[in-house]
């Protein structure tokens, strides 16, 4: 996938805390121990970004300066704090109050086990995270600071996985701060869920959404040279199975050439403008030979966010979840709940779209095909056709409720179709939602969930939880333990909290 602009240089700052009470030698030992943990995590954890050990924090001014430096540092995407000894929390107030970067609190200690035969007060005074971290946690709670709390020995696989999940969420948040979504055409007419407040979204999440005429895109498409088109066609033929009618000498070869020009133009436009995602709509195709199909699919595979019919919120979420899942097994794609299999006890959801499902989901080598499209009024579009690989996944959406944003996540199990989908001419995914279809669909609808989503085998609910905490938005999770009465209660609490917040303004 396309790497975010700052990923190569992105850093997490590991910040140990202590105090001068213990003397210089203890502080030097604290610093050495912190460096040991950072080196070990860097070696074993496979973090998505670089972990940098910072000096031991022992006073209010140093802490405030560190937090100011974190805020200003383009490379710093968040802090991981650990209180090796007791660190009086009042000295953290000024720094934490002004911190604008994501915060994780690692509640751990250097050694996994108590040295039963040799433990003495020197050891006890040095290894005090058991109550030093509680002091730190108290001041974060008192100040109302959202943060991730990770508990356990730093070498435990679970702890390392939680830290990497949070690091990926922090990286996605960092990328979103400067994200740019290009909107070709407007929203699909009269559709509510793909609309929203773009100014409020930029204030909350950082990414900007701006509209561009199809003429701007067409101008880029027309600059594609025949040499570029031929090279891209060669890539198509190497990476995918090509339908006979689209092969050299085939009756529909011209449509494949048009699709390649569209991809080259789209890619040129997005790269030159520094965009991280885009939308289009079949209701505005002036100047295009066909609705972009394979072009959108391949751009998504490279890490761009996408939303159909002008759905900029889903485009931004697809980009974020691409970053969260980068390098992990499985794909991430724009998706739509399309149709149901309602056999009692074996209900399934068939997800697809007209054209634009990302081939990173594919269980097999996709085929390039061309089929009619009953809407849009243009020539038949070229697309990649495949079925998604099976496995556990999460289906997520970003919702604009007018007064606030909400993230929705439904854990699902992707499965192989029980029978061949011989006549379905698109990329598709079949899944069983957790905990069951009636509960999942009912909860989604009660929460105002849209029909467009981001389906991911690579990113997770845990990462979305971390991302929601960083962004300061609510997350409604639908999983194996979900009950509709609990969802209704959570939604009532959310409405009440939002109403109270409005009255206080």
């Amino acid at each position: 996938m396309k790497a975010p602009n700052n990923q190569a240089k992105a850093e997490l700052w590991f910040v140990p805390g202590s105090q001068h009470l213990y003397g210089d030698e203890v502080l030097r030992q604290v610093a050495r121990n912190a460096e040991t943990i950072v080196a070990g995590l860097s070696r074993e954890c496979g973090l998505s970004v670089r972990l940098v050990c910072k000096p031991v924090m022992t006073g209010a001014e140093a802490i405030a300066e560190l937090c100011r430096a974190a805020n200003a540092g383009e490379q710093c995407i968040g802090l991981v704090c650990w209180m090796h000894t007791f660190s009086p929390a009042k000295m953290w107030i000024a720094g934490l109050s002004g911190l604008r970067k994501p915060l994780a609190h690692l509640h751990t200690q250097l050694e996994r086990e108590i040295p039963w035969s040799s433990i003495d007060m020197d050891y006890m005074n040095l290894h005090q995270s058991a109550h030093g971290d509680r002091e730190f946690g108290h001041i974060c709670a008192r100040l109302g600071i959202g943060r991730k709390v990770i508990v356990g020995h730093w070498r435990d696989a679970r702890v390392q996985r939680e830290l990497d999940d949070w690091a990926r969420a922090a990286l996605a948040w960092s990328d979103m701060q400067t994200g740019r979504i290009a909107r070709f055409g407007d929203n699909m007419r009269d559709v509510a869920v793909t609309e929203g407040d773009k100014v409020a979204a930029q204030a909350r999440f950082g990414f900007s959404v701006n509209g561009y005429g199809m003429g701007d895109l067409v101008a880029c498409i027309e600059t594609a040279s025949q040499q570029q088109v031929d090279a891209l066609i060669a890539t198509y033929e190497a990476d995918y199975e090509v339908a006979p009618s689209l092969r050299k000498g085939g009756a529909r070869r011209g449509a494949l050439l048009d699709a390649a020009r569209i991809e080259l133009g789209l890619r040129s436009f997005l790269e030159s403008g520094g965009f991280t995602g885009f939308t289009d709509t079949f209701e505005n195709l002036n100047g295009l030979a066909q609705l972009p199909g394979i072009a959108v699919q391949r751009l998504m595979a490279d890490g761009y966010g996408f939303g159909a019919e002008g759905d900029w919120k889903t485009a931004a979420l697809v980009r974020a979840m691409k970053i969260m899942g980068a390098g992990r097994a499985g794909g991430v794609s724009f998706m739509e709940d399309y149709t149901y299999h309602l056999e009692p006890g074996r209900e399934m959801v068939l997800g697809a779209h007209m054209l634009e499902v990302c081939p990173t989901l594919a269980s097999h080598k996709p085929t390039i095909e061309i089929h009619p499209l009953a809407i849009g009024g243009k020539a038949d579009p070229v697309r990649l056709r495949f079925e998604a690989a099976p496995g556990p996944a999460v289906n997520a959406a970003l919702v604009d409720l007018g007064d606030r944003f909400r993230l929705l996540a439904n854990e699902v199990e992707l499965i192989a179709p029980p029978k061949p989908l011989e006549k379905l001419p698109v990329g598709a995914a079949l899944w069983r939602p957790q905990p069951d279809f009636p509960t999942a669909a009912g909860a989604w609808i009660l929460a105002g969930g849209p029909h467009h989503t981001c389906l991911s085998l690579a990113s997770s609910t845990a990462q979305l939880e971390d991302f929601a905490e960083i962004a300061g938005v609510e997350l409604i999770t639908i999983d194996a333990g979900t009950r509709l009465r609990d969802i209704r209660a959570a939604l009532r609490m959310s409405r009440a909290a939002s109403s109270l917040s409005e009255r206080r303004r």
Side-chain angles (χ1 to χ4, degrees):
M1 61 156 275
K2 182 179 185 292
N5 296 334
N6 67 339
Q7 183 170 6
K9 298 181 179 179
E11 297 176 348
L12 285 176
W13 289 2
F14 187 85
V15 183
S18 187
Q19 60 177 321
H20 286 292
L21 177 67
Y22 304 110
D24 291 342
E25 179 52 38
V26 169
L27 293 179
R28 284 191 288 270
Q29 187 62 50
V30 168
R32 288 192 292 270
N33 291 350
E35 290 168 356
T36 295
I37 291 177
V38 167
L41 287 173
S42 300
R43 182 175 59 252
E44 300 172 17
C45 189
L47 282 176
S48 308
V49 298
R50 184 173 172 234
L51 190 61
V52 177
C53 192
K54 289 296 178 176
V56 180
M57 294 293 106
T58 57
E61 182 51 41
I63 293 169
E65 177 58 33
L66 176 95
C67 292
R68 288 193 293 267
N71 290 338
E74 293 184 3
Q75 296 179 350
C76 177
I77 65 167
L79 305 186
V80 180
C81 291
W82 170 53
M83 303 302 108
H84 190 323
T85 70
F86 194 77
S87 181
K90 286 175 65 177
M91 66 186 187
W92 288 86
I93 292 174
L96 292 177
S97 296
L99 182 65
R100 299 193 304 273
K101 294 291 176 76
L103 174 65
H105 182 188
L106 180 58
H107 184 44
T108 191
Q109 63 184 29
L110 178 67
E111 303 296 343
R112 190 191 300 271
E113 300 174 358
I114 292 174
W116 303 107
S117 62
S118 62
I119 187 170
D120 56 18
M121 284 310 300
D122 288 338
Y123 182 96
M124 295 280 278
N125 283 332
L126 181 61
H127 298 83
Q128 292 192 64
S129 59
H131 66 294
D133 276 332
R134 282 170 166 78
E135 171 79 354
F136 184 79
H138 167 76
I139 205 62
C140 289
R142 178 73 182 268
L143 296 174
I145 294 172
R147 75 278 192 201
K148 172 76 171 182
V149 178
I150 303 171
V151 178
H153 192 260
W154 58 273
R155 299 196 72 170
D156 291 351
R158 174 190 56 79
V159 170
Q160 294 181 356
R161 177 69 180 224
E162 287 187 30
L163 180 59
D164 187 48
D165 278 342
W166 179 82
R168 289 167 176 270
L171 183 61
W173 176 251
S174 176
D175 176 76
M176 190 173 273
Q177 301 313 291
T178 55
R180 301 188 67 204
I181 307 296
R183 207 168 183 230
F184 298 110
D186 201 353
N187 194 63
M188 182 179 172
R189 300 180 191 111
D190 292 326
V191 176
V193 76
T194 51
E195 288 281 13
D197 188 335
K198 294 186 284 292
V199 174
Q202 187 168 351
R204 169 59 61 185
F205 300 103
F207 65 86
S208 63
V209 182
N210 290 291
Y212 297 88
M214 292 306 297
D216 298 322
L217 176 57
V218 170
C220 284
I221 292 171
E222 290 176 346
T223 64
S225 69
Q226 188 60 48
Q227 183 179 10
Q228 290 175 308
V229 172
D230 291 343
L232 185 53
I233 293 293
T235 298
Y236 290 172
E237 293 171 337
D239 292 349
Y240 315 108
E241 299 291 342
V242 182
S245 66
L246 296 174
R247 295 173 189 165
K248 190 172 184 179
R252 310 300 300 276
R253 181 70 169 187
L256 186 64
L257 299 177
D258 287 338
R261 290 189 184 93
I262 291 173
E263 178 178 339
L264 289 166
L266 252 175
R267 193 176 292 274
S268 173
F269 187 98
L270 297 173
E271 288 178 352
S272 63
F275 294 101
T276 55
F278 66 103
T279 74
D280 63 17
T281 172
F282 62 84
E283 290 184 323
N284 187 350
L285 298 174
N286 298 328
L288 294 187
Q290 56 184 264
L291 178 64
I294 189 173
V296 172
Q297 293 174 293
R298 282 172 45 83
L299 285 163
M300 258 196 292
D302 287 341
Y304 285 98
F306 174 76
E309 290 110 41
D311 190 351
W312 51 270
K313 296 185 297 297
T314 302
L317 183 61
V318 169
R319 168 67 175 186
M321 293 179 71
K322 287 274 186 184
I323 291 172
M324 292 183 213
R328 288 185 174 175
V332 180
S333 178
F334 168 78
M335 187 53 66
E336 179 173 283
D337 294 53
Y338 223 102
T339 194
Y340 294 144
H341 179 83
L342 295 180
E343 179 183 353
R346 297 186 69 246
E347 293 93 344
M348 294 173 276
V349 179
L350 181 60
H353 205 255
M354 295 180 293
L355 302 170
E356 311 96 341
V357 177
C358 182
T360 58
L361 295 181
S363 63
H364 53 82
K365 190 175 185 178
T367 58
I368 302 180
E369 301 183 12
I370 183 168
H371 299 277
L373 188 67
I375 54 178
K378 290 290 181 177
D380 298 343
V382 174
R383 80 293 304 270
L384 295 172
R385 181 172 177 263
F386 54 87
E387 285 86 48
V394 60
N395 206 24
L398 179 61
V399 188
D400 186 346
L401 295 173
D403 61 342
R404 65 198 188 280
F405 291 92
R406 170 180 289 159
L407 264 175
L408 276 174
N410 184 194
E411 294 183 354
V412 304
E413 184 72 25
L414 268 63
I415 56 176
K419 296 181 180 180
L421 302 172
E422 296 176 351
K423 294 186 177 181
L424 187 65
V426 293
L430 185 69
W431 66 82
R432 291 194 179 99
Q434 296 290 333
D436 55 63
F437 174 77
T439 302
W444 192 273
I445 291 170
L446 282 170
H451 57 287
H452 288 168
T453 62
C454 176
L455 179 69
S456 177
L457 286 142
S459 39
S460 65
T461 303
Q463 292 171 333
L464 290 174
E465 290 173 349
D466 292 339
F467 185 84
E469 183 66 51
I470 291 169
V473 298
E474 63 178 305
L475 173 68
I476 300 295
T477 302
I478 306 166
D479 58 18
T482 294
R483 299 187 304 172
L484 278 178
R485 68 183 65 170
D486 296 332
I487 290 291
R488 291 191 186 97
L491 295 175
R492 283 194 296 269
M493 290 289 290
S494 173
R495 287 193 295 271
S498 177
S499 177
L500 180 60
S501 178
E502 283 296 314
R503 287 199 296 268
R504 286 176 173 174
R505 290 180 181 175

